[in-house]
Amino acid sequence: MTRRIEIVEVGPRDGLQNDPTLLPTEVKLEFVERLIAAGVRRMEAASFVHPKLVPAMADSGEIMERVPRGKGVKYIGLALNERGMRRAIEARCDEINFVMVASEGFGRRNQNASPEETADLLDRIAILAHDAGIPLSATISVAFGDPFEGEVSADVVAELARRAEAAGAVEIALGDTIGVATPWDVRERHDKVREAAPKARLRMHFHNTRNTALANVFAAVEAGVDVIDASAGGIGGCPFAPRATGNVATEDVVYMLERGGYETGIDLDAMIETARWLETEALKHPVQSMLAKAGPFPRPAA
Amino acid sequence: MTRRIEIVEVGPRDGLQNDPTLLPTEVKLEFVERLIAAGVRRMEAASFVHPKLVPAMADSGEIMERVPRGKGVKYIGLALNERGMRRAIEARCDEINFVMVASEGFGRRNQNASPEETADLLDRIAILAHDAGIPLSATISVAFGDPFEGEVSADVVAELARRAEAAGAVEIALGDTIGVATPWDVRERHDKVREAAPKARLRMHFHNTRNTALANVFAAVEAGVDVIDASAGGIGGCPFAPRATGNVATEDVVYMLERGGYETGIDLDAMIETARWLETEALKHPVQSMLAKAGPFPRPAA
C-alpha cells in the first residue's frame, strides 16, 4: 500500500497575509474553490488576529461564512490569544491552530510573549476549543532559528511540544518561520519532539528561504512525519528578508512526493494551473513555484 | 572529525555555457579568481566541444593558458569525443571529464550517440588521458530522466558506470541534466551504481529545476557521496525549459552542508559576494541563488 502524505494548504492564510497584493474576498473564495478542485482537503483559510496588524486577514469571518462546507474539506483558523480563539470558534472553523514561539526575540516582536508565556496561554484557553468540540493544533514557530537571536534550543522546542500535547493539542507543527532549517536539524528536532510528545500527530511547516525546504520535507517524511504544510505557488513572503521567498510551493512538494511513490491526493497539473492563476490573474506578480516554471516530469511523445 | 564534502564548482563551464550573456575572457578569469579566493579548489573551467555548438566556450584553450596554476586548484575540462579529449590534454587540464548519456533521446540530440556508443567511445579514447597522466572522470548525463523519453532505466545508468570504471575513470558523476530527480531516486541509483562500479569515487550533479536539488544533495551525502557539483549563483539554465533554473547554487549547498556540520572549505560570505558580482557586474541579470537573497543564518545583535 502506498503511504499517504497529507498536504495542509496554507496559501489562503500564510500565503496571502504578507502579500503586497490585497485580494478581494471574492478572489480569495475563488482561490479556495480552485484548491478544492485540485484535491486539497485541509487548508489554513483564516487568521483571527487584530485586523490592524494583519489587514489582509480582516475578512476572515466572512471567508469562513462563505467557504463551501460539507465537501469533506477542513478549514483551519489561526489564533494567537483568547480573543482570536473565541472568534475562530464563532466563525465555525473546523480546526484551530494556536501559535507558540520557540524563541524570545521573535516571540516578543510577533506576539509579545516568551516561549513559556505562549505555553501558559495555551494552557488557559485550550478548554475553549475543547468545549466547542473543535480539534486544536499548535504550531511552534521559529523552531529552527530566530531572526533576532540566531540559534534556537531544540530542548525548548521539545518542552513546548510536551506542553502543547498536555494542553490537548492533537497535532503539533514545527515551523521554520525564517527558512533556516537543514534536514539534519529536522531529524534531530523531530526525534526530540516525538519523545516529548509521543501521542500528538506531527506536522512540519517549512519555508524555502534558503532553498532547503524540500530537503527538509524529505527528512521529515523519512523520520515518519505524515503531514506537511505548503502554499500554492509558494506564495507568502518573509517579512525579515524582503527579497526572499517564504512557504515552499505545494506543487513542488507534490511533485517530489508523488515521484517518490507517495500519495498526496493532489492533482499536480491542477495545482500548477492554480499557481499560474495566482501569478497572472489574482496577485499579478511572479510566484516562487518551480513546477509552474519547469512543468512536470516529461511525458514521452506518443 | 568533521566529514568533508568536496564541492566541484561548475559555474565557469556549465554555468556560463548557456547564459544569454557572453562573458569576455578577462571577466571569466576574474570569475575564476573570485572562486579561488572563496575557497574553491576544483572547478570545471573549460569545454572542448565545437565552438559553433557552444560559442560561450570557444575561448577554453585561452582560459586554460591563463588560469592561475600552482595554487593547488584543479581545473577540469569537458570532452565529448576524441578531438575534445586531445584538445583538453593539449590545454593541460588537470582532469578530463567525459560525458556519457543514459538515454537515447537526449544522447542523439546532444552528441549523436546512444548510451552504449558513448561507453564504446570512452573505451577507445580513455587511453589518451591515461597516457598523458591526466585523471579521467565520467559524467552520466540524463541519469534521472530524459526530456524526450521521460523515464531512464537505473540499470542502464549502472551499466554505464561499470563500463566507465572499466575504462579507467577514477570518478563517476550522475547528472540530473533536466532537474527531475527525487532523493529516493538518488538513493536507488547511488546503490546500483556503487555496486556496479565499486572502486570509483562517486560525484553527483543536480539541477534545481524542480526545487529538489538540495534534497538530492542531502540524500547523496547520506548515501556516502563525498563530491557534489554546484555553480556560483546557481547560474546555468536548462535549454529544455527556458524559464527554469539549472545548477543548484554553490552557496545554497554550502549553507546546508555547513549548517549540517560538514566542512566544504568554502567561505559562504565570499561565495554570496561572488553570486552578487555575477548578478550585478558580470552577467547583469538575476541569478537563482537563494542565499544571495536571504543571507546566511542570522547572527544575533551583539
Side-chain angles (χ1 to χ4, degrees):
Chain A
M1 225 184 74
T2 312
R3 180 168 158 211
R4 190 177 179 91
I5 306 291
E6 182 180 52
I7 307 287
V8 175
E9 169 63 46
V10 302
R13 200 282 302 174
D14 197 20
L16 294 180
Q17 73 172 12
N18 290 311
D19 199 277
T21 306
L22 211 65
L23 287 192
T25 307
E26 296 300 331
V27 181
K28 287 186 184 177
L29 289 165
E30 181 178 348
F31 185 20
V32 169
E33 295 272 12
R34 283 175 180 269
L35 292 169
I36 295 171
V40 170
R41 289 297 172 267
R42 196 173 167 212
M43 70 176 88
E44 271 193 354
S47 178
F48 297 95
V49 292
H50 199 292
K52 273 197 190 148
L53 297 178
V54 188
M57 293 289 112
D59 59 352
S60 283
E62 187 184 349
I63 292 283
M64 286 307 301
E65 264 172 41
R66 296 177 59 189
V67 288
R69 302 276 189 164
K71 290 188 178 181
V73 179
K74 302 224 177 278
Y75 300 100
I76 307 171
L78 206 80
L80 274 66
N81 54 30
E82 180 189 332
R83 185 164 159 70
M85 179 89 80
R86 291 191 190 275
R87 287 172 62 207
I89 293 167
E90 194 184 351
R92 297 193 301 123
C93 290
D94 298 298
E95 301 174 30
I96 297 171
N97 187 46
F98 179 83
V99 181
M100 306 169 100
V101 293
S103 179
E104 182 100 15
F106 182 84
R108 284 284 158 222
R109 284 159 182 93
N110 194 59
Q111 56 212 76
N112 194 29
S114 68
E116 197 180 359
E117 283 165 2
T118 60
D120 293 345
L121 180 56
L122 179 60
D123 253 352
R124 286 198 302 276
I125 65 175
I127 196 167
L128 298 173
H130 301 328
D131 272 1
I134 299 177
L136 180 66
S137 62
T139 291
I140 302 172
S141 61
V142 292
F144 296 89
D146 178 289
F148 308 102
E149 300 185 350
E151 300 294 343
V152 163
S153 154
D155 293 328
V156 169
V157 174
E159 170 62 9
L160 290 174
R162 187 191 68 74
R163 293 200 54 189
E165 184 175 277
V170 292
E171 184 181 83
I172 296 166
L174 304 192
D176 184 18
T177 311
I178 59 165
V180 290
T182 74
W184 295 278
D185 298 329
V186 172
R187 190 186 283 164
E188 177 214 13
R189 271 148 222 251
H190 168 276
D191 292 352
K192 287 205 170 189
V193 164
R194 183 73 293 171
E195 200 184 326
K199 288 183 307 231
R201 195 168 54 236
L202 297 186
R203 175 165 56 91
M204 295 279 175
H205 178 98
F206 295 124
H207 283 199
N208 198 36
T209 316
R210 286 167 187 82
N211 219 346
T212 59
L214 286 190
N216 296 336
V217 169
F218 172 66
V221 167
E222 290 280 300
V225 172
D226 295 315
V227 192
I228 300 288
D229 283 1
S231 83
I235 62 171
C238 177
F240 303 103
R243 291 178 69 207
T245 181
N247 294 295
V248 63
T250 308
E251 55 278 16
D252 295 2
V253 175
V254 168
Y255 172 81
M256 184 180 80
L257 292 176
E258 300 252 341
R259 277 290 299 168
Y262 295 83
E263 211 179 73
T264 65
I266 292 176
D267 182 302
L268 181 59
D269 290 333
M271 194 53 80
I272 290 175
E273 210 36 66
T274 302
R276 288 180 179 151
W277 171 82
L278 283 167
E279 187 164 86
T280 57
E281 293 184 48
L283 300 174
K284 298 194 173 76
H285 62 67
V287 299
Q288 296 289 341
S289 164
M290 303 287 275
L291 262 288
K293 293 183 186 72
F297 193 84
R299 291 148 188 147
Chain B
M1 226 185 71
T2 311
R3 179 168 158 210
R4 190 176 178 93
I5 306 291
E6 182 180 52
I7 307 287
V8 175
E9 170 62 46
V10 302
R13 200 281 303 172
D14 199 21
L16 294 180
Q17 71 171 17
N18 291 310
D19 200 277
T21 306
L22 211 65
L23 286 194
T25 306
E26 296 301 330
V27 182
K28 288 187 184 177
L29 289 165
E30 181 178 348
F31 185 21
V32 168
E33 297 273 11
R34 284 175 179 267
L35 292 169
I36 295 170
V40 169
R41 289 297 171 267
R42 196 173 167 214
M43 71 176 88
E44 270 192 354
S47 178
F48 298 94
V49 293
H50 199 290
K52 273 198 189 149
L53 296 179
V54 187
M57 293 290 112
D59 59 352
S60 283
E62 187 183 349
I63 291 283
M64 287 305 302
E65 264 170 42
R66 296 177 59 190
V67 288
R69 302 276 187 163
K71 291 189 177 180
V73 179
K74 302 226 177 276
Y75 301 99
I76 306 171
L78 206 80
L80 275 65
N81 52 31
E82 180 189 332
R83 183 164 161 71
M85 178 89 78
R86 291 190 190 276
R87 288 173 60 208
I89 294 168
E90 193 185 354
R92 297 193 301 123
C93 290
D94 299 297
E95 301 175 30
I96 296 172
N97 187 45
F98 180 83
V99 181
M100 305 170 100
V101 294
S103 178
E104 182 99 16
F106 182 84
R108 284 283 158 221
R109 283 159 183 94
N110 195 59
Q111 58 213 77
N112 195 28
S114 68
E116 198 181 359
E117 283 164 3
T118 60
D120 292 345
L121 179 55
L122 179 61
D123 252 353
R124 285 197 302 275
I125 65 175
I127 196 166
L128 299 173
H130 303 328
D131 273 2
I134 300 176
L136 179 67
S137 62
T139 291
I140 302 173
S141 62
V142 293
F144 297 89
D146 178 288
F148 308 103
E149 299 184 349
E151 301 293 345
V152 163
S153 155
D155 293 327
V156 169
V157 173
E159 170 63 9
L160 289 174
R162 187 191 68 75
R163 293 201 54 187
E165 184 175 277
V170 292
E171 184 181 84
I172 296 167
L174 303 193
D176 184 18
T177 312
I178 58 166
V180 290
T182 74
W184 296 278
D185 297 329
V186 171
R187 190 185 283 163
E188 178 215 14
R189 271 149 221 253
H190 169 274
D191 292 351
K192 287 204 170 189
V193 163
R194 185 70 296 172
E195 201 185 326
K199 288 183 307 236
R201 195 165 58 235
L202 298 186
R203 174 164 57 91
M204 295 279 175
H205 178 97
F206 295 124
H207 282 199
N208 199 35
T209 316
R210 286 169 187 81
N211 218 347
T212 59
L214 286 190
N216 296 335
V217 169
F218 172 65
V221 167
E222 291 281 299
V225 171
D226 297 313
V227 193
I228 301 289
D229 282 1
S231 84
I235 61 171
C238 177
F240 303 103
R243 294 178 66 207
T245 181
N247 294 296
V248 64
T250 307
E251 54 279 16
D252 295 4
V253 175
V254 168
Y255 171 81
M256 184 180 81
L257 291 176
E258 301 252 341
R259 278 290 299 166
Y262 295 82
E263 211 180 75
T264 65
I266 292 176
D267 182 301
L268 182 58
D269 290 333
M271 194 52 80
I272 289 174
E273 212 34 67
T274 302
R276 289 180 180 152
W277 171 81
L278 282 168
E279 188 165 86
T280 57
E281 294 185 48
L283 300 174
K284 300 193 174 79
H285 62 68
V287 298
Q288 296 289 339
S289 163
M290 303 288 275
L291 263 289
K293 293 181 185 72
F297 193 85
R299 289 146 190 151

